[in-house]
Amino acid sequence: MSGEPSKTPDLIGHETAEKHFLESWNSGRLPHAWLISGEEGSGKATLAFRIARFVLFQGNENSKRQEKGDLFGKSIRPKSLYIAPDNPIFRRVASEGHTDLKILKRTINSSNGKIRNSIAVEDVRLCGNFLRLTSAEAGWRVLIIDSVDELTISAANALLKILEEPPNDALILIVCHNPYLILPTIKSRCCQLSLKPLESERIRSFLSTTLPNINPSDIEALTILSNGSPGRALKIIEEEGLILLKELVMLISNFPKISTADLHDFGEKLAKNGAENKFKLTMNLFNSWLAYLIKEAASNTQKPKPMFPEESGCGIRIVRAAGVEFLIQLWKDINLVSEKTLRQNLDRKQAFLTMLYHLNDPAFDK
């Protein structure tokens, strides 16, 4: 299974969102802009490409009927957004080669060869020009924005102008990770599709099918860490996040006697050039592990069930020694420090050590 949304034919769950779009399509009154929101890895971009393929295919079929003079033939109401991978439309969308589809995302900075941190206003304006062109073949022009969270302020205002004066037969699919942080005026001009986290059983079933060689204990850990998002679970595996988390937890498994030298060595890995994503993922997963300890402690009288066997009981010792209130504060601090470290390009090793040293406080040695 490909992890790329443009090449993924199926979408796990989210039948309600698909039904909403289909009902609008079949009614003949399709809103020109859709805001697709949800947790990272929940399937937002996959749904956007699924909708894009569907619209381009349906538009192509309508064009064929018009060419044949079949203007009054019986209209077929589609019951699914699914387009088979062997369909030419699917292949062209997957290769980003369809003339009626444009994808707006961060581009590579030619001066340093790195991906830009944001989407520039010039790129949004080019998309406006694209949408105003007459469709080359499908009757529709489709724009996918992945994601609106990465627009600069100027770019967001340029998008708002497009939404205020939408061209005819133009469909704008906007991927959004955090709808609370975007301009309210953008939200108000979009029909919203909110993707909810999947139930744990669906995540387990998905992982068992997709990763048949993975052991059951890892499936359980990934189910917890995924937060109901199949894409997040796959990303954790692909980027060896579970291995990193286990390694870190094993380093503190002798809590409260944590080896400073071992933590320094681990911190070095997170501070290397190009290891920004590794740092972000490690801190994020460690925080998810802390959140799991807090939840388990609150519901199981401070006897948390291990997330994975490699914990060696350190979770229980940390909860008993530090207490839930301290762990909640540590969880908050890690979120803030991780975000600040990446945003301001601070010393990642120092940020990591600062957070972990809290667990080595002699006051916890009870």
Side-chain angles (χ1 to χ4, degrees):
M1 174 180 177
S2 171
E4 296 181 47
S6 64
K7 300 176 182 177
T8 303
D10 300 306
L11 181 64
I12 307 298
H14 311 310
E15 293 83 1
T16 300
E18 290 208 7
K19 181 181 178 183
H20 186 182
F21 183 87
L22 273 172
E23 287 175 347
S24 293
W25 175 270
N26 288 327
S27 73
R29 299 185 299 274
L30 187 70
H32 68 276
W34 295 75
L35 185 73
I36 307 173
S37 61
E39 294 285 338
E40 183 179 356
S42 59
K44 301 182 296 296
T46 298
L47 176 58
F49 277 100
R50 193 169 164 90
I51 291 173
R53 288 192 295 263
F54 170 84
V55 169
L56 294 172
F57 174 77
Q58 292 296 329
N60 189 261
E61 292 298 297
N62 291 338
S63 297
K64 288 180 181 178
R65 284 197 293 270
Q66 292 177 10
E67 289 176 3
K68 294 179 181 179
D70 186 15
L71 300 179
F72 305 102
K74 184 178 179 180
S75 177
I76 300 175
R77 293 167 63 90
K79 297 181 180 180
S80 171
L81 299 179
Y82 179 78
I83 302 297
D86 60 354
N87 188 293
I89 296 290
F90 186 102
R91 294 197 294 267
R92 292 172 63 194
V93 168
S95 65
E96 301 184 15
H98 198 292
T99 53
D100 287 330
L101 172 68
K102 190 170 184 64
I103 301 161
L104 178 61
K105 55 188 176 181
R106 290 183 299 155
T107 56
I108 295 177
N109 189 331
S110 58
S111 63
N112 57 22
K114 295 183 179 180
I115 296 180
R116 302 178 191 273
N117 293 325
S118 57
I119 298 174
V121 62
E122 294 81 7
D123 293 330
V124 176
R125 289 171 179 158
L126 288 174
C127 289
N129 296 336
F130 163 81
L131 291 173
R132 284 186 284 270
L133 295 173
T134 302
S135 168
E137 55 186 289
W140 288 85
R141 287 290 215 189
V142 180
L143 169 65
I144 295 176
I145 301 176
D146 188 10
S147 69
V148 68
D149 310 73
E150 296 167 334
L151 297 180
T152 64
I153 295 176
S154 297
N157 286 321
L159 171 61
L160 180 59
K161 184 174 179 60
I162 296 173
L163 295 175
E164 288 172 340
E165 303 173 2
N168 293 329
D169 299 323
L171 179 64
I172 305 172
L173 303 170
I174 305 173
V175 173
C176 177
H177 303 308
N178 193 337
Y180 301 104
L181 298 181
I182 67 172
L183 292 176
T185 43
I186 288 181
K187 282 195 291 185
S188 67
R189 286 166 172 77
C190 298
C191 185
Q192 299 192 39
L193 295 176
S194 179
L195 304 192
K196 306 300 182 184
L198 300 187
E199 303 88 350
S200 294
E201 192 51 47
R202 296 197 75 167
I203 295 292
R204 289 191 193 94
S205 176
F206 167 76
L207 291 173
S208 298
T209 302
T210 308
L211 306 168
N213 297 323
I214 195 170
N215 67 62
S217 64
D218 284 352
I219 286 182
E220 287 303 309
L222 286 169
T223 299
I224 297 167
L225 294 169
S226 71
N227 296 328
S229 167
R232 174 174 163 85
L234 289 180
K235 181 179 180 180
I236 290 171
I237 286 294
E238 290 169 358
E239 298 186 9
E240 300 184 340
L242 190 56
I243 294 174
L244 286 168
L245 177 61
K246 287 182 178 182
E247 184 178 348
L248 176 53
V249 171
M250 289 171 69
L251 285 179
I252 63 173
S253 62
N254 290 324
F255 175 87
K257 298 178 181 179
I258 303 174
S259 169
T260 301
D262 290 342
L263 286 182
H264 271 271
D265 290 342
F266 192 88
E268 287 288 350
K269 292 199 300 186
L270 305 182
K272 290 181 178 179
N273 289 336
E276 291 87 356
N277 287 338
K278 181 176 290 187
F279 170 83
K280 181 179 179 180
L281 181 62
T282 301
M283 300 303 279
N284 182 279
L285 292 179
F286 184 70
N287 240 14
S288 294
W289 181 71
L290 285 178
Y292 174 76
L293 289 183
I294 294 167
K295 182 179 178 181
E296 283 291 300
S299 59
N300 291 302
T301 320
Q302 293 199 336
K303 291 184 179 179
K305 177 183 176 182
M307 184 184 287
F308 39 80
E310 290 84 352
E311 286 185 25
S312 302
C314 74
I316 295 176
R317 293 194 296 277
I318 288 174
V319 169
R320 287 176 176 171
V324 171
E325 289 186 7
F326 171 84
L327 293 181
I328 292 174
Q329 187 58 53
L330 179 61
W331 178 85
K332 292 178 180 178
D333 290 344
I334 289 178
N335 275 333
L336 292 172
V337 171
S338 298
E339 182 180 342
K340 181 179 179 180
T341 299
L342 291 170
R343 186 176 64 251
Q344 300 183 8
N345 196 27
L346 302 178
D347 188 326
R348 296 192 297 276
K349 177 181 176 181
Q350 187 59 49
F352 166 77
L353 293 176
T354 298
M355 290 297 97
L356 270 295
Y357 279 158
H358 284 300
L359 291 177
N360 225 7
D361 192 321
F364 299 151
D365 193 358
K366 300 178 181 178

